[in-house]
Amino acid sequence: MPQIPNSTLLHFPTPIHKIKLKKSNRVYMGSSIAEAHNVRVLGAGDTVVVLGHGFGTDQSVWKHLIPHLVDCYKVIVYDHMGAGTTNPDYFDFDRYSTLEGFAYDLLAILEEFRVHKCIYVGHSLSSMAGALASIFRPDLFHKLIMLSASPRFLNTGDYFGGFEQEDIDELCGAMESNYKSWVSGFAPLVVGGDMDSVAVQEFSRTLFNMRPDIALSMFRMIFTFDLRHFLGCVTVPCHIIQSSKDLAVPVAVAEYLHQNLGGKSIVEVVPTEGHLPQLSSPELTIPVLLRHIQHDIVDGDC
């Protein structure tokens, strides 16, 4: 198994069992993890499916998928810290300056709900947080289903992530100067539609719900992380699902993941547009997600 370098990745600021969530003068510990992340447990079944959403959204982004799961699976859905549905007082800017904080939160949720093995479905940010979590605790994950995932969004050398540094600097500047105006321009670009689109309106709503300084901090973190060198340490099976046209994640990134992950992996490119196909094209995306949840990778697929 590939070895993880000691110096650059494993810098969690706080052990799981010592996580403290502060609100005013009160300190919430232990079982309050469920409250802090708005965790819901739905359905029934021996197999647990955990759903993690991406930047700018919340657990409502899975509204088209959940009804298809609850009859056969136990479904755990949560909001990552910083989402507009979470308490901004819980957002620790240092803790969430790297993806590790989000991976650690996922492990804490699995521990809290005594999940011994799960199928993890992660979108964008959460797909890579799930990959990190699986490095630390591979025993907890039967497989990862990665939707619109990227180990690095910036172009560098011979790697095409989709963005130049000046693009990110311009976006960050726009966020700082007028967050509302930035959302109005950013949401249609990412979803792939105009402002009259239901999906664009939904993404705009969840973006507006975020506190602007938290959104900016997360945005900067997302566009500076680089997990390429650690992909070989991800040994659980990975199902990579990608839109054929995604402004944020080129199709080449999905193939890069496939070639560099340490365990079995498979790629499926769906004829959809945008970074949130589960919201903008559920009629095409949900059947694909369900198929990958229901069926494991066989040797001939890799």
Side-chain angles (χ1 to χ4, degrees):
M1 175 178 175
Q3 296 298 305
I4 305 172
N6 293 324
S7 59
T8 54
L9 180 64
L10 304 182
H11 286 167
F12 287 105
T14 311
I16 287 177
H17 66 283
K18 293 184 179 178
I19 290 173
K20 296 182 179 181
L21 302 176
K22 297 183 179 181
K23 181 180 180 183
S24 299
N25 294 323
R26 299 184 63 189
V27 177
Y28 295 88
M29 299 181 66
S31 62
S32 65
I33 290 169
E35 180 185 6
H37 291 277
N38 302 317
V39 179
R40 292 189 298 151
V41 181
L42 308 168
D46 295 330
T47 302
V48 178
V49 176
V50 181
L51 305 177
H53 65 88
F55 168 76
T57 63
D58 56 41
Q59 61 184 261
S60 66
V61 79
W62 300 114
K63 63 184 179 181
H64 298 297
L65 175 62
I66 290 173
H68 297 279
L69 296 175
V70 291
D71 288 341
C72 300
Y73 301 95
K74 178 185 287 186
V75 180
I76 296 178
V77 62
Y78 68 97
D79 295 326
H80 67 57
M81 203 54 63
T85 46
T86 62
N87 187 334
D89 292 342
Y90 293 171
F91 190 86
D92 183 323
F93 285 88
D94 180 60
R95 177 184 177 80
Y96 299 109
S97 64
T98 71
L99 265 182
E100 295 145 322
F102 297 93
Y104 218 177
D105 286 350
L106 171 58
L107 292 176
I109 290 168
L110 297 182
E111 179 182 29
E112 177 70 19
F113 287 88
R114 300 180 181 179
V115 175
H116 302 295
K117 184 82 75 172
C118 73
I119 297 170
Y120 183 72
V121 183
H123 173 241
S124 193
L125 163 72
S126 286
S127 64
M128 300 316 297
L132 278 184
S134 78
I135 294 174
F136 307 130
R137 290 292 307 276
D139 57 300
L140 295 179
F141 298 91
H142 176 65
K143 60 185 172 184
L144 303 177
I145 298 175
M146 305 169 131
L147 178 63
S148 307
S150 177
R152 180 178 173 87
F153 289 93
L154 289 179
N155 302 329
T156 177
D158 59 356
Y159 174 80
F160 181 63
F163 292 87
E164 298 292 341
Q165 183 61 54
E166 51 265 34
D167 300 329
I168 305 308
D169 293 341
E170 184 176 339
L171 287 168
C172 288
M175 290 179 79
E176 287 183 288
S177 63
N178 190 326
Y179 184 70
K180 184 176 181 179
S181 177
W182 174 82
V183 169
S184 297
F186 184 71
L189 286 174
V190 172
V191 175
D194 55 41
M195 284 302 293
D196 294 330
S197 159
V198 173
V200 171
Q201 291 177 4
E202 179 67 10
F203 186 44
S204 298
R205 178 187 68 80
T206 53
L207 275 172
F208 278 131
N209 283 343
M210 296 184 71
R211 206 172 76 184
D213 59 332
I214 291 175
L216 179 60
S217 176
M218 290 185 63
F219 192 82
R220 283 177 169 156
M221 179 276 294
I222 290 167
F223 283 98
T224 55
F225 74 65
D226 187 352
L227 298 185
R228 291 176 298 163
H229 300 300
F230 306 107
L231 294 178
C233 302
V234 180
T235 57
V236 301
C238 292
H239 299 238
I240 304 157
I241 301 171
Q242 173 66 41
S243 285
S244 58
K245 186 177 181 182
D246 181 348
L247 175 73
V249 182
V251 172
V253 170
E255 186 58 33
Y256 183 92
L257 283 169
H258 178 49
Q259 295 297 328
N260 288 277
L261 286 162
K264 292 182 178 180
S265 65
I266 187 172
V267 175
E268 181 162 354
V269 178
V270 186
T272 53
E273 180 175 351
H275 193 59
L276 292 88
Q278 74 274 44
L279 193 62
S280 60
S281 302
E283 71 286 353
L284 295 175
T285 308
I286 300 307
V288 174
L289 287 170
L290 289 172
R291 178 157 38 82
H292 285 272
I293 290 170
Q294 293 163 357
H295 302 288
D296 294 340
I297 301 172
V298 297
D299 289 339
D301 293 332
C302 299

